[in-house]
Amino acid sequence: MLVVMQEGATEQQIDAVIELMVEMGFNVHRSTGVIHTVLGGVGGKDDFDLAVFEVMEGVKEAHRIISSYKLASRHFRPGGTVVKAGDVEIGGGRVVVMAGPSCVESFEQIERSAEVVARAGATVFRAGAVKPRNSPYSPQTPDEENLKLLRTVADRHGLALVSEVMDHTQVPLLERYADILQVSARNMQNFDLLRELGCSRKPVLLKRGVAATVEELLLSAEYILSGGNYDVILCERGIRTFETYTRNTLDISAIPVVHKLSHLPIVADPSHGTGRRDKVAPMARAAVAAGADGLLIEVHPDPDHALSDGAQSLRPEQFEELMQQLRMIAPAVGRSI
Ligand code: PEP
Ligand code: MN
């Protein structure tokens, strides 16, 4: 359930509502806005009388939420959430570009990548500390030496860092080096990992699974939010359809759908979303036009020789050109880059 307090409601009135919610078995999450305080109640009994809350002092309105995600719902924070990662704000007036190679190959490769993406205007550096694969015979643990390198290079170029955490035991390691912890598409329903990230104080970039609905994505986000970590950034990275010309089908419509249903920011990943370098820029432009809060783009200094995802990685000059185009598109939808 949700209780929206009136403008100027006193702390005493808020406490009284919280007390009653707790008495009814709800776990209460408070969101203090500039004008209104919103109280989200999770897990309480279903058959309570809403009117009991509606008539309490200082209450503006009370709602029973039918959808199974409550904290991720737009009702919880009608004004939207701005996630802060280092100096970068995701979900505000600026479209945030996160760019870099699929994974670390060498110091030179990440150094050159970071230089290229920073010069072109990206503010977050992306790279996996190990390439996650579906095969059980490939390495599955991020390499700490690689994480150290990523941190050094990101700092040198004034970039925040996003990197993937693959299971719950790796959270402390990634927290030490990255500003944003990425959950891959194949891990969207790894509930042990999501629960652990709920206890983290680092922002989480949660990728949509290849066969997940938007509702399932929001339910996965709810796992993290209900643990107390409200800094979740959603990522549309393409879903599996019957189309074979592209690696996945980037669901651009998920962007306005998420904005309507949820207060969480959503970024688009046209690299994994299409799998083809020549399709990345058009889909990146479309995502920004559709209102994406950011982009996740693979850029490699020499994509033809990349260890992974070379075909979908932009060459440095292609990335620079794309950034210039995005600078023209963003103002048309009330944003900047
Ligand atoms: C990635 O961003 O490097 C990645 C592994 O993506 P996804 O989880 O979307 O496949
Ligand atoms: Mn990749």
Side-chain angles (χ1 to χ4, degrees):
M1 71 165 305
L2 281 177
V3 178
V4 183
M5 301 302 295
Q6 284 166 1
E7 186 173 353
T10 65
E11 279 305 310
Q12 242 175 346
Q13 292 168 335
I14 295 169
D15 285 346
V17 175
I18 293 175
E19 213 169 287
L20 185 58
M21 288 169 83
V22 171
E23 215 174 278
M24 289 187 179
F26 289 102
N27 223 321
V28 182
H29 295 256
R30 174 176 174 162
S31 170
T32 310
V34 183
I35 299 174
H36 296 290
T37 290
V38 178
L39 304 171
V42 185
K45 56 180 190 177
D46 283 340
D47 57 351
F48 66 94
D49 185 2
L50 260 191
V52 170
F53 288 94
E54 282 164 349
V55 298
M56 286 182 81
E57 299 278 324
V59 170
K60 179 167 180 275
E61 52 200 75
H63 302 274
R64 197 188 301 275
I65 306 291
I66 312 117
S67 67
S68 23
Y69 53 87
K70 295 178 174 60
L71 304 175
S73 156
R74 169 66 68 174
H75 295 291
F76 184 56
R77 279 187 181 166
T81 286
V82 176
V83 174
K84 289 195 181 66
D87 296 335
V88 181
E89 293 191 343
I90 303 121
R94 286 181 82 145
V95 176
V96 173
V97 180
M98 311 178 186
S102 190
C103 62
V104 177
E105 296 167 19
S106 67
F107 174 74
E108 290 68 30
Q109 171 245 10
I110 52 164
E111 168 59 25
R112 174 94 181 90
S113 306
E115 186 195 324
V116 164
V117 303
R119 186 162 21 109
T123 49
V124 182
F125 190 44
R126 65 134 295 146
V130 62
K131 176 66 199 168
R133 299 251 174 229
N134 290 324
S135 162
Y137 306 115
S138 312
Q140 303 284 335
T141 318
D143 184 318
E144 183 155 10
E145 289 312 307
N146 284 347
L147 284 167
K148 280 186 191 156
L149 281 183
L150 285 173
R151 185 72 259 170
T152 308
V153 164
D155 286 344
R156 200 203 324 272
H157 294 280
L159 298 163
L161 177 65
V162 55
S163 197
E164 184 182 337
V165 54
M166 278 168 257
D167 76 45
H168 65 282
T169 62
Q170 297 166 6
V171 172
L173 174 67
L174 267 292
E175 277 177 332
R176 273 203 293 285
Y177 297 99
D179 301 299
I180 305 174
L181 312 187
Q182 178 175 324
V183 177
S184 76
R186 61 176 70 67
N187 258 333
M188 190 201 85
Q189 289 186 320
N190 178 340
F191 298 118
D192 285 339
L193 174 59
L194 301 180
R195 253 188 228 105
E196 192 64 33
L197 290 168
C199 304
S200 176
R201 286 296 157 264
K202 289 271 172 138
V204 177
L205 179 86
L206 178 64
K207 289 192 136 192
R208 180 181 181 183
V210 292
T213 62
V214 169
E215 167 137 359
E216 286 162 343
L217 173 64
L218 293 174
L219 279 169
S220 288
E222 186 83 7
Y223 265 88
I224 305 171
L225 298 175
S226 63
N229 185 354
Y230 297 136
D231 290 330
V232 177
I233 305 149
L234 303 171
C235 179
E236 164 58 40
R237 50 78 71 206
I239 49 174
R240 193 162 286 175
T241 67
F242 47 80
E243 184 51 72
T244 53
Y245 275 102
T246 45
R247 180 176 174 183
N248 292 291
T249 298
L250 187 71
D251 181 10
I252 300 267
S253 63
I255 298 164
V257 168
V258 163
H259 277 154
K260 170 113 198 211
L261 295 175
S262 176
H263 56 88
L264 297 172
I266 177 161
V267 305
D269 172 354
S271 305
H272 294 86
T274 64
R276 301 279 178 273
R277 188 181 304 135
D278 60 326
K279 314 286 186 294
V280 170
M283 296 311 274
R285 297 192 298 255
V288 170
D293 298 293
L295 293 169
L296 190 70
I297 295 182
E298 288 190 338
V299 180
H300 194 288
D302 180 14
D304 298 335
H305 297 98
L307 271 191
S308 67
D309 291 344
Q312 67 191 31
S313 299
L314 294 185
R315 301 181 195 287
E317 62 280 9
Q318 291 176 314
F319 181 64
E320 278 165 31
E321 190 187 351
L322 171 61
M323 289 296 287
Q324 279 166 17
Q325 294 168 339
L326 296 176
R327 279 192 200 98
M328 292 188 269
I329 294 170
V333 288
R335 309 290 274 271
S336 62
I337 291 238

